[in-house]
Amino acid sequence: GAVVSQHPSRVICKSGTSVKIECRSLDFQATTMFWYRQFPKQSLMLMATSNEGSKATYEQGVEKDKFLINHASLTLSTLTVTSAHPEDSSFYICSAPPPGWNTDTQYFGPGTRLTVL
Amino acid sequence: EDKVVQSPLSLVVHEGDTVTLNCSYEVTNFRSLLWYKQEKKAPTFLFMLTSSGIEKKSGRLSSILDKKELFSILNITATQTGDSAVYLCAYSGAGSYQLTFGKGTKLSVIP
């Protein structure tokens, strides 16, 4: 099956710093990737849709200047949490639909657990 | 507002038991309903359902969708400790790539 990786798997940072999370499709090209956030005991919430070669589309309530998304190639999307604060601590997961599949059958990366002190 | 409600929120069973997990949804422009299994990390895809009444099966897992009553069930027979996970239900609507997830059902299978 299609493989999506994320790096890092876990990061701890100080309040006010920025953190970059990478999402890679390892064996297929992804023109679209999705970024989700999951707080403890909560659902996955879609934050934004990352589009290769164009601007990301953000969901309502997600600050685009705080969560910077760059999809510079067909296999890599990055999410940068700028000026992170403790309330940004969460589990961030990316996903991508493999080509030729129904877009709904997204494959997820292993996630990145962010802790902001 | 569109939403997905899963029940029960948590469930503890013994190995060998059969479990049924429920997912009801309220959505306009429904396209598909999906089930995922989430252990400590990211969700893994189980099933995608688009048509009513057609059971999808994979080993001990099966799922079916009722578009009239707006719900889906996920059955797991002869449960094993490795089935312990959070099972997530999600839907997608026509015209959007977005998946809307329920809160999940935490299944614990004890020996």
Side-chain angles (χ1 to χ4, degrees), chain A residues 44-61:
Chain A
L44 276 76
M45 297 296 295
L46 181 67
M47 297 176 65
T49 302
S50 175
N51 303 299
E52 189 269 336
S54 64
K55 290 182 180 180
T57 305
Y58 290 82
E59 295 301 304
Q60 192 173 8

Side-chain angles (χ1 to χ4, degrees), chain B residues 2 8 13-14 24 35 37-38 50 55 66 70 74 81 106:
Chain B
D2 297 341
V13 300
H14 288 278
S24 65
W35 284 96
K37 177 182 181 182
Q38 185 177 27
T50 57
E55 184 183 53
D66 185 328
L70 307 183
L74 175 69
T81 55
K106 183 178 180 180

Side-chain angles (χ1 to χ4, degrees), chain B residues 84-96:
Chain B
S84 297
V86 174
Y87 290 84
L88 297 167
C89 170
Y91 78 83
S92 71
S96 170

Side-chain angles (χ1 to χ4, degrees), chain A:
Chain A
V3 179
V4 176
S5 72
Q6 270 182 254
H7 178 79
S9 59
R10 183 182 292 269
V11 58
I12 301 173
C13 68
K14 292 183 178 179
S15 185
T17 60
S18 294
V19 175
K20 180 186 282 188
I21 302 170
E22 294 185 346
C23 176
R24 293 182 185 272
S25 54
L26 296 184
D27 51 1
F28 65 98
Q29 293 181 332
T31 56
T32 301
M33 291 184 175
F34 303 93
W35 286 96
Y36 293 83
R37 179 167 54 181
Q38 186 178 33
F39 292 107
K41 299 186 180 180
Q42 299 294 317
S43 291
L44 276 76
M45 297 296 295
L46 181 67
M47 297 176 65
T49 302
S50 175
N51 303 299
E52 189 269 336
S54 64
K55 290 182 180 180
T57 305
Y58 290 82
E59 295 301 304
Q60 192 173 8
V62 178
E63 300 175 56
K64 62 181 180 181
D65 294 329
K66 179 171 181 64
F67 299 98
L68 302 179
I69 291 173
N70 185 294
H71 196 149
S73 78
L74 288 171
T75 59
L76 174 64
S77 174
T78 60
L79 168 68
T80 301
V81 183
T82 62
S83 187
H85 291 284
E87 58 264 31
D88 298 323
S89 298
S90 187
F91 192 51
Y92 292 85
I93 308 176
C94 70
S95 72
W101 287 72
N102 183 308
T103 305
D104 296 342
T105 55
Q106 299 173 30
Y107 283 81
F108 288 84
T112 297
R113 188 162 300 282
L114 171 64
T115 302
V116 185
L117 302 177

Side-chain angles (χ1 to χ4, degrees), chain B residues 65-84:
Chain B
L65 176 67
D66 185 328
K67 291 169 73 172
K68 182 179 178 183
E69 300 298 329
L70 307 183
F71 79 88
S72 175
I73 60 172
L74 175 69
N75 279 320
I76 308 175
T77 59
T79 51
Q80 303 171 356
T81 55
D83 296 326
S84 297

Side-chain angles (χ1 to χ4, degrees), chain B:
Chain B
E1 182 181 328
D2 297 341
K3 62 180 181 180
V4 180
V5 178
Q6 290 187 247
S7 65
L9 291 181
S10 66
L11 188 58
V12 180
V13 300
H14 288 278
E15 272 192 314
D17 288 350
T18 293
V19 298
T20 297
L21 310 182
N22 304 295
C23 174
S24 65
Y25 60 93
E26 297 176 19
V27 59
T28 54
N29 299 321
F30 173 87
R31 182 168 66 193
S32 62
L33 188 129
L34 299 95
W35 284 96
Y36 286 85
K37 177 182 181 182
Q38 185 177 27
E39 296 173 89
K40 294 208 179 289
K41 293 188 175 179
T44 53
F45 173 77
L46 294 176
F47 298 110
M48 183 177 76
L49 303 155
T50 57
S51 301
S52 276
I54 299 176
E55 184 183 53
K56 294 235 175 161
K57 196 170 174 64
S58 176
R60 297 177 293 102
L61 277 67
S62 63
S63 183
I64 197 163
L65 176 67
D66 185 328
K67 291 169 73 172
K68 182 179 178 183
E69 300 298 329
L70 307 183
F71 79 88
S72 175
I73 60 172
L74 175 69
N75 279 320
I76 308 175
T77 59
T79 51
Q80 303 171 356
T81 55
D83 296 326
S84 297
V86 174
Y87 290 84
L88 297 167
C89 170
Y91 78 83
S92 71
S96 170
Y97 292 152
Q98 177 178 351
L99 291 182
T100 300
F101 285 86
K103 290 187 176 181
T105 293
K106 183 178 180 180
L107 174 65
S108 300
V109 182
I110 55 179

